[in-house]
Amino acid sequence: MSLLDKFDELEQTQAQLSEGGVNPTNVIVEQALSPTESIIEGRHTIMAGTNNYLGLTFDPACIEAGQRALAESGTGTTGSRMANGNYASHAQLEAELADFYGYPYAMVFSTGYAANIGTMAALVGSGDAILLDGDAHASLFDGGKLSGATVYRFRHNDAESLDKRLRRLGETASRCLVAVEGLYSILGDRAPLKELAEVTRAHDALLFVDEAHSLGVLGEHGKGRIEEEDVEADFVVGTFSKSLGSTGGFCVSPHKALTLFRYASRPYMFTASPCPSVIATTRAALAQLRARPKLRTKLWRNANRLYNGLSQLGLQVGPEPSPVVAVMAGSREHALACWQHLLEAGVYLNLILPPAAPDGSALLRCSVSAAHSDEQIDQIIEAFKNLPP
Ligand code: PMP
């Protein structure tokens, strides 16, 4: 038995995914034409699975800011924030994030994944506990592993289950981090954050909220589920790779301890800082998010149009309308056939297979953008009309 033998099984799974056409885990975007259109397999395709919620990837102000930063500051920092990679623009973006959230402290990471694992592993350690929502993203589970704390799951979106788990921890509950998402990435359902925060506080634990899919999407000013539910979290984490259309991640907090994570968070310390052009486009996108609330209005109009259109076709959709629209697709094989049919009809979306999909059934995940036109949303709905049996 060699270290390489385990890849035989993975090779088989990948071969199965490629039967019948394009492998959904290896789609090549031959050309990105706009936030909502690409060329895939030589075909003009509507992108309905991108997380490009505000459609800012081709925004002229963001592109101009990125081009200027490239010309003025070069292509990369070639080092970590701890060493030579700490530019004024990183600190400016941190100040802008702190101002946006109204929290005093902010830290920028190189990805959203690094923000999650880096915050969790700095904060908790061996002898501490992490309580994770059962549907939480892989990066939160990985943060738990990296931290060395004991990780427990509570039932998805269930404050009673959280309370029970915290009670079981007894006095050590005050050394527990409760980690949830604002808007869940697979089914598009919101967390009952007020209830979860009350339970967390009652046990003197700390609350960590990943707003990856809710920044720019929820709340009057687009701050996410914390704004919608009027909850102050201990740590709010998010990514630049969805509504802000770039790459990178952040954490904001009311706790001064966050400033010391810079010397305690290995995923922050031992990786290169984001490129100046990435920081520049992110800052420009954050400014757009703040200045153009109509983008959010349009996003929700599109989300409701798609959600209602697909449910009127008799499809089983996620629990509530949101820019993440899940369509339950039964078995792996059926979901794969539907995915391939949709791609051939000129619609790209995400195929989500168990265990990433909850309850053991596969699903097709659409994500809506403010940049979709009514016609594009209708074309997506139209493509769902003739799914294979
Ligand atoms: N959290 C959630 C809920 C996510 O969905 C993702 C990305 N899919 C991340 C964190 C990681 O973000 P990034 O892609 O910026 O690493």
Side-chain angles (χ1 to χ4, degrees):
M1 183 81 180
S2 117
L3 283 175
L4 301 175
D5 287 347
K6 59 178 176 286
F7 293 104
D8 292 349
E9 197 181 322
L10 197 50
E11 193 176 14
Q12 264 178 20
T13 314
Q14 286 301 315
Q16 279 164 6
L17 286 173
S18 301
E19 277 167 18
V22 181
N23 178 337
T25 63
N26 194 20
V27 174
I28 294 173
V29 175
E30 287 143 21
Q31 201 185 341
L33 303 171
S34 77
T36 58
E37 297 151 299
S38 289
I39 304 290
I40 295 176
E41 293 283 297
R43 247 191 325 263
H44 192 277
T45 303
I46 300 176
M47 301 304 279
T50 62
N51 309 305
N52 198 350
Y53 298 122
L54 299 184
L56 290 174
T57 48
F58 281 76
D59 181 80
C62 296
I63 290 174
E64 205 224 306
Q67 285 171 334
R68 202 168 345 109
L70 266 173
E72 287 173 2
S73 306
T75 54
T77 66
T78 70
S80 80
R81 295 287 297 279
M82 289 276 280
N84 57 300
N86 194 24
Y87 287 21
S89 60
H90 295 114
Q92 281 155 353
L93 175 55
E94 283 168 348
E96 285 155 9
L97 286 164
D99 177 64
F100 175 56
Y101 281 98
Y103 283 10
Y105 307 106
M107 230 171 119
V108 163
F109 291 80
S110 299
T111 62
Y113 180 86
N116 276 345
I117 63 170
T119 308
M120 290 172 96
L123 187 64
V124 291
S126 160
D128 304 328
I130 296 176
L131 264 171
L132 279 184
D133 183 284
D135 279 5
H137 187 257
S139 55
L140 297 172
F141 282 92
D142 292 356
K145 256 193 214 163
L146 183 67
S147 74
T150 311
V151 177
Y152 304 94
R153 300 162 81 126
F154 64 94
R155 234 180 301 129
H156 175 54
N157 273 353
D158 187 334
E160 229 171 81
S161 165
L162 173 63
D163 190 42
K164 227 185 260 173
R165 284 273 180 203
L166 281 164
R167 258 186 282 139
R168 243 183 258 162
L169 287 175
E171 283 182 6
T172 57
S174 63
R175 295 186 59 84
C176 176
L177 183 70
V178 174
V180 301
E181 289 174 39
L183 179 75
Y184 280 86
S185 57
I186 303 294
L187 294 180
D189 50 335
R190 296 157 151 102
L193 205 55
K194 227 183 189 51
E195 280 176 69
L196 296 170
E198 274 164 21
V199 171
T200 305
R201 297 269 173 264
H203 292 273
D204 293 325
L206 294 182
L207 181 65
F208 174 110
V209 184
D210 179 350
E211 298 270 29
H213 293 268
S214 23
L215 165 64
V217 171
L218 298 179
E220 191 189 342
H221 301 95
K223 292 181 205 173
R225 187 64 175 152
I226 49 158
E227 183 181 28
E228 198 173 50
E229 289 272 89
D230 194 19
V231 161
E232 184 179 90
D234 295 289
F235 297 92
V236 176
V237 175
T239 172
F240 305 148
S241 68
K242 305 189 193 299
S243 283
L244 299 178
S246 68
T247 57
F250 69 90
C251 178
V252 295
S253 173
H255 301 293
K256 191 167 181 214
L258 184 69
T259 59
L260 296 163
F261 285 16
R262 296 187 200 277
Y263 317 105
S265 171
R266 296 171 71 87
Y268 174 86
M269 290 152 66
F270 297 111
T271 196
S273 62
C275 302
S277 56
V278 168
I279 293 295
T281 67
T282 306
R283 291 180 66 197
L286 182 60
Q288 297 285 316
L289 182 159
R290 298 181 80 167
R292 295 168 64 192
K294 284 198 177 125
L295 287 176
R296 201 156 35 261
T297 313
K298 178 78 191 316
L299 170 67
W300 277 96
R301 217 167 61 93
N302 285 346
N304 284 314
R305 192 178 182 97
L306 184 64
Y307 184 89
N308 294 333
L310 293 178
S311 33
Q312 276 159 18
L313 292 184
L315 296 164
Q316 193 194 339
V317 290
E320 55 178 304
S322 111
V324 177
V325 183
V327 179
M328 308 312 149
S331 70
R332 267 174 96 84
E333 294 71 25
H334 182 244
L336 179 60
C338 292
W339 183 89
Q340 269 155 353
H341 168 90
L342 287 162
L343 189 70
E344 277 161 31
V347 174
Y348 169 84
L349 42 70
N350 309 119
L351 174 68
I352 313 277
L353 299 174
D359 304 331
S361 83
L363 59 88
L364 301 163
R365 178 181 68 175
C366 311
S367 81
V368 178
S369 173
H372 281 125
S373 64
D374 286 357
E375 293 70 33
Q376 286 175 325
I377 298 284
D378 293 346
Q379 277 171 273
I380 299 167
I381 298 167
E382 191 62 32
F384 268 92
K385 277 191 181 159
N386 299 309
L387 290 181

